[in-house]
Amino acid sequence: MVFTEQQEALVKESWEIMKQNIPELSLQFFTTILEIAPAAKGLFSFLKDTDEVPQNNPKLKAHAVKVFKMTCEAAVQLREKGAVDLPESTLKYLGAVHVKKGVIDPHFEVVKEALLRTIKDGVGEKWSEELCGAWSEAYDQLATAIKTEMKEEAEQINSSSSA
């Protein structure tokens, strides 16, 4: 998977637009995840036992901003670093949390769809097939990095439970 100079430029330009509206776009991102896959609510401890509208949940707001920013910032630096550049501790943590929560490959597709819809709304008339492709590639590389950590985490769990 190669992230081209053109894709990098598109992602950076769109991120600059979206930065102006991170709280709103972050909530839209998570609300879209829950619209696509209502059962995903059970994966988030702060949403499990509530019928509250997600927009009114302060823990969701904080989590949404953190996830949306991390995803976008990982995409922005992809070409410069040549790979997803998150601190190893962050990737390990993400791998462990996703394994513990029972996240599986189809969940990543739901998040990708929600991310692309959110970006489309966030950039308005700047949206294009090229921009969609650039963000898709960036997200896929981030998802692959998290899945790699998930696999390592699962192997560690399996080897320690069989010891």
Side-chain angles (χ1 to χ4, degrees):
M1 293 190 277
V2 176
F3 196 62
T4 68
E5 197 173 331
Q6 172 71 10
Q7 287 174 315
E8 177 189 43
L10 288 166
V11 165
K12 284 184 173 181
E13 180 184 328
S14 57
W15 178 229
E16 286 304 315
I17 294 167
M18 291 186 296
K19 271 188 195 177
Q20 313 307 312
N21 216 355
I22 288 174
E24 184 181 308
L25 292 172
S26 299
L27 271 177
Q28 179 183 341
F29 172 54
F30 262 81
T31 303
T32 304
I33 290 171
L34 297 173
E35 285 170 6
I36 296 169
K41 186 177 173 188
L43 295 172
F44 302 99
S45 59
F46 48 82
L47 292 178
K48 263 187 188 164
D49 301 318
T50 179
D51 291 327
E52 191 176 9
V53 179
Q55 289 88 334
N56 298 333
N57 186 314
K59 287 182 180 175
L60 174 65
K61 286 180 182 179
H63 184 73
V65 166
K66 192 164 70 175
V67 171
F68 188 68
K69 280 180 73 173
M70 182 201 64
T71 301
C72 293
E73 288 171 355
V76 165
Q77 56 69 47
L78 196 53
R79 183 171 157 70
E80 183 181 312
K81 306 289 185 182
V84 170
D85 184 38
L86 292 173
E88 190 173 327
S89 60
T90 300
L91 269 176
K92 286 198 174 306
Y93 172 77
L94 290 171
V97 166
H98 284 79
V99 166
K100 185 175 144 195
K101 296 290 185 180
V103 172
I104 55 175
D105 281 359
H107 294 146
F108 284 93
E109 290 306 310
V110 168
V111 172
K112 180 179 180 178
E113 175 65 25
L115 179 69
L116 293 174
R117 285 189 201 176
T118 302
I119 293 166
K120 182 178 182 180
D121 288 348
V123 299
E125 76 255 1
K126 296 240 184 236
W127 182 254
S128 66
E129 284 304 311
E130 293 80 21
L131 183 60
C132 180
W135 276 103
S136 291
E137 179 64 30
Y139 176 81
D140 289 346
Q141 289 196 33
L142 177 60
T144 297
I146 293 171
K147 289 177 190 179
T148 299
E149 286 300 325
M150 287 173 65
K151 187 175 179 202
E152 289 177 18
E153 176 71 14
E155 287 169 1
Q156 284 179 356
I157 291 169
N158 290 337
S159 67
S160 65
S161 67
S162 63

